[in-house]
């Protein structure tokens, strides 16, 4: 089954700290695409970062970076210098194989940044 | 920066009624999707649409659901006879070329009473 698991339902850190959100997935395919989406209280889904499975280099977008471990099927998100505006639900998702159409989402991690 | 828009933002309907949810995609995007999120649960794929036809659909997307692009720009999701369990946030998404980078609209909250 092609599934995504986020084992941390909730996390809380102080502003300016670094936080890492974990994600594991299951697929037997070699080519697939991984994503992190942010959902603030407005419930808009915002793409944070993406990673192609064929790329060994970890993706980075400003304060956001990933640790992609293909053999372990792990795709964690690191947020550096966290800000109050980072408070949101974070969903890990993937498109499980080349040519697939749908995103498969994890259950989400509720992240709270405290002042 | 171009955005996906959805209307209405909130729809309240009675069980058994038909609803149409509308999405205006980013103009040069070719792949269109609908997802739903029941409150407190994860986002679930409903359907993908490309070249004026459904390219993939989930088990949720039964005969009560349909999609179309009636005027070549708007992308709609119709639920023919709503049930209580259809209450959810419905997201439209689209992507430009490859299916892999999907941009979401703000969602329509559907409440079935």
């Amino acid at each position: 089954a092609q599934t995504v698991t986020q084992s941390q339902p909730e996390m809380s850190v102080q502003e300016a700290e670094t936080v890492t959100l974990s994600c594991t997935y299951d697929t037997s395919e070699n080519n697939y695409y991984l994503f992190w989406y942010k959902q603030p209280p407005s419930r808009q889904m915002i793409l944070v970062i993406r990673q192609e499975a064929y790329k060994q280099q970890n993706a980075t977008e400003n304060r956001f970076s990933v640790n992609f471990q293909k053999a372990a099927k792990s795709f964690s998100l690191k947020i550096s210098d966290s800000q109050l505006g980072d408070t949101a639900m974070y969903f890990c998702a993937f498109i499980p194989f080349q040519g697939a159409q749908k995103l498969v989402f994890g259950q989400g991690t509720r992240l709270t940044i405290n002042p | 920066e171009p955005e996906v828009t959805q209307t209405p933002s909130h729809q309240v309907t009675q069980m058994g009624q038909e609803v149409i949810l509308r999405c205006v995609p980013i103009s040069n995007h070719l792949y269109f999707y609908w997802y739903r999120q029941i409150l407190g649960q994860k986002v679930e794929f409903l359907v993908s649409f490309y070249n004026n036809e459904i390219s993939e659909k989930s088990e949720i997307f039964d005969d009560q659901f349909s999609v179309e692009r009636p005027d070549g720009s708007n992308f709609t999701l119709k639920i023919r006879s709503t049930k209580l369990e259809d209450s959810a946030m419905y997201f439209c998404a689209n992507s430009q070329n490859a299916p892999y980078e999907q941009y979401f609209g703000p969602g329509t909250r559907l409440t079935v009473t």
Side-chain angles (χ1 to χ4, degrees):
Chain A
Q2 292 155 342
T3 58
V4 178
T5 302
Q6 294 179 249
S7 59
Q8 304 150 312
E10 294 188 24
M11 294 190 73
S12 178
V13 298
Q14 296 299 120
E15 194 176 5
E17 289 184 347
T18 293
V19 59
T20 299
L21 310 182
S22 64
C23 171
T24 57
Y25 57 90
D26 185 28
T27 181
S28 57
E29 300 292 326
N30 193 44
N31 291 324
Y32 47 88
Y33 304 90
L34 297 153
F35 307 86
W36 279 97
Y37 280 88
K38 170 185 177 181
Q39 187 180 43
S42 66
R43 297 192 74 183
Q44 169 101 44
M45 295 290 287
I46 301 165
L47 178 63
V48 174
I49 200 165
R50 78 167 196 265
Q51 173 85 41
E52 291 88 347
Y54 63 85
K55 290 186 178 178
Q56 292 185 334
Q57 186 172 3
N58 289 322
T60 62
E61 287 287 342
N62 300 314
R63 297 182 295 107
F64 298 87
S65 61
V66 298
N67 183 5
F68 173 46
Q69 301 289 327
K70 191 171 184 179
K73 295 180 183 176
S74 170
F75 183 61
S76 61
L77 174 70
K78 185 171 83 170
I79 306 174
S80 303
D81 185 27
S82 57
Q83 301 174 358
L84 297 179
D86 296 333
T87 293
M89 281 290 285
Y90 286 81
F91 290 96
C92 180
F94 80 141
I95 292 179
F97 56 88
Q98 188 85 24
Q101 299 282 316
K102 64 182 181 185
L103 279 164
V104 177
F105 283 84
Q107 294 280 15
T109 295
R110 184 178 304 278
L111 175 65
T112 302
I113 310 298
N114 298 306
Chain B
E1 186 174 321
E3 291 182 340
V4 181
T5 59
Q6 290 184 242
T7 55
S9 57
H10 190 192
Q11 173 94 44
V12 181
T13 189
Q14 288 190 326
M15 194 168 54
Q17 295 296 305
E18 175 184 286
V19 295
I20 298 175
L21 311 183
R22 292 181 171 81
C23 170
V24 179
I26 297 171
S27 62
N28 60 346
H29 284 201
L30 302 176
Y31 296 82
F32 311 102
Y33 314 86
W34 284 101
Y35 293 84
R36 79 171 186 191
Q37 184 183 31
I38 295 171
L39 187 63
Q41 298 187 20
K42 64 181 176 181
V43 178
E44 300 173 290
F45 170 79
L46 292 177
V47 65
S48 59
F49 189 85
Y50 171 70
N51 201 24
N52 286 321
E53 61 183 24
I54 291 173
S55 46
E56 188 174 351
K57 61 183 180 179
S58 72
E59 293 176 352
I60 303 167
F61 194 87
D62 61 21
D63 292 343
Q64 292 301 310
F65 291 87
S66 63
V67 290
E68 63 176 358
R69 288 191 79 200
D71 55 9
S73 59
N74 293 305
F75 179 51
T76 63
L77 174 69
K78 182 192 291 185
I79 309 174
R80 290 189 181 80
S81 178
T82 50
K83 302 187 281 285
L84 294 176
E85 53 265 38
D86 293 328
S87 294
M89 196 77 162
Y90 287 81
F91 292 101
C92 170
N94 44 102
S95 57
Q96 185 175 15
N97 293 314
Y100 62 84
E101 191 161 298
Q102 298 180 21
Y103 294 91
F104 282 71
T108 293
R109 184 188 300 176
L110 176 65
T111 302
V112 182
T113 62

